[in-house]
């Protein structure tokens, strides 16, 4: 889901993407060009120093992704999905070919329909057969949402203020809509200008709902 602040938060849902999957020859050429790559993924925003009295860091920051192995691959493209919304599979459209996105992080990527992402993880055959190739995503980076690069973290409240807790730092969330402020513990991406350890929310999306 992707939201913009206003009197009521409106989810911008992508349309189902159906149609022909890229031919196997193109997929094979793409796979050959990316197989064996193991570049680690960076963060979605430059470092900002944490505030002097920021929220507790223990257990609040987003989990650090596993380090890539020699068998991992990385590939960049646009997130789409195939099938009905109830059983849709997220795919990555890259260079005219498609790769299925599987694993625990696939549910987050499914919420990024239309965004440009860089994913990494072990290559494998797609259990659903089409497209034939897949990546068991162990880590990913959001490169662009609607032409802008977001920051990613977990929502927390500390001393009456709202924060976005990241692996490297903590940003105070300014002008956050009520729906975002109510999602303590949720993993989100946020778009907006960053200045002096603060980010003014212009839009945001929920990648993982708060724990029950």
């Amino acid at each position: 889901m992707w939201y913009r602040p206003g009197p009521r938060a409106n989810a911008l849902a992508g349309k189902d993407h159906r149609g022909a999957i890229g031919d196997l020859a193109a997929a094979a050429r793409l796979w050959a060009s990316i197989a064996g790559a193991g570049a680690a993924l960076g963060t979605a925003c430059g470092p900002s120093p944490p505030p002097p009295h920021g929220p507790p860091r223990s257990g609040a920051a987003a989990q650090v992704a596993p380090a890539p192995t020699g068998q991992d691959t990385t590939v960049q493209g646009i997130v789409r999905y195939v099938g009905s919304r109830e059983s849709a599979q997220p795919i990555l459209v890259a260079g005219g070919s498609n790769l299925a996105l599987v694993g625990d992080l696939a549910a987050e990527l499914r919420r990024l329909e239309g965004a440009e992402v860089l994913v990494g993880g072990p290559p494998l055959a797609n259990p659903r057969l089409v497209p034939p190739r897949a990546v068991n995503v162990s880590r990913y980076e959001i490169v662009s949402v609607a032409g802008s690069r977001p920051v990613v973290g977990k929502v927390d409240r500390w001393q009456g203020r709202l924060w976005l807790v990241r692996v490297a730092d903590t940003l105070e969330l300014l002008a956050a809509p009520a729906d975002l402020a109510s999602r303590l513990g949720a993993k989100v991406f946020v778009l907006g200008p960053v200045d002096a350890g603060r980010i003014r929310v212009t839009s945001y999306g929920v990648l993982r709902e708060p724990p029950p």
Side-chain angles (χ1 to χ4, degrees):
M1 300 180 189
W2 175 14
Y3 301 84
R4 295 183 186 276
R8 298 180 62 185
N10 296 316
L12 305 181
K15 297 179 180 178
D16 289 351
H17 286 263
R18 307 170 187 268
I21 302 300
D23 60 76
L24 297 184
R29 289 194 297 272
L30 172 66
W31 201 256
S33 68
I34 63 175
L41 304 184
T43 57
C45 183
S48 299
H53 301 290
R57 302 304 302 273
S58 177
Q63 294 182 355
V64 178
T69 70
Q71 296 180 344
D72 278 3
T73 188
T74 60
V75 62
Q76 184 169 323
I78 305 298
V79 178
R80 304 292 185 195
Y81 53 83
V82 292
S84 64
R85 291 186 180 276
E86 293 75 16
S87 60
Q89 180 174 45
I91 64 172
L92 194 70
V93 179
S97 296
N98 301 323
L99 298 172
L101 303 173
V102 301
D104 292 341
L105 293 177
E108 296 182 14
L109 289 162
R110 189 174 178 271
R111 296 185 175 213
L112 288 167
E113 200 274 340
E116 184 176 6
V117 300
L118 179 68
V119 303
L124 72 163
N126 183 15
R128 297 193 188 184
L129 301 180
V130 177
R133 298 289 187 176
V135 176
N136 187 4
V137 182
S138 62
R139 62 199 187 279
Y140 71 90
E141 174 189 353
I142 306 175
V143 176
S144 175
V145 174
S148 298
R149 192 179 187 88
V151 293
V152 177
K154 290 189 177 181
V155 181
D156 195 9
R157 187 181 299 279
W158 180 251
Q159 296 184 345
R161 292 183 287 176
L162 203 63
W163 305 90
L164 185 70
V165 181
R166 306 192 295 169
V167 173
D169 57 20
T170 305
L171 297 174
E172 184 179 359
L173 291 166
L174 303 179
D179 182 72
L180 177 59
S182 69
R183 294 176 180 267
L184 299 182
K187 182 179 179 182
V188 301
F189 70 82
V190 178
L191 292 170
V194 178
D195 181 51
R198 298 177 176 87
I199 179 168
R200 184 169 294 275
V201 181
T202 58
S203 62
Y204 72 96
V206 179
L207 298 170
R208 190 176 293 270
E209 297 290 345

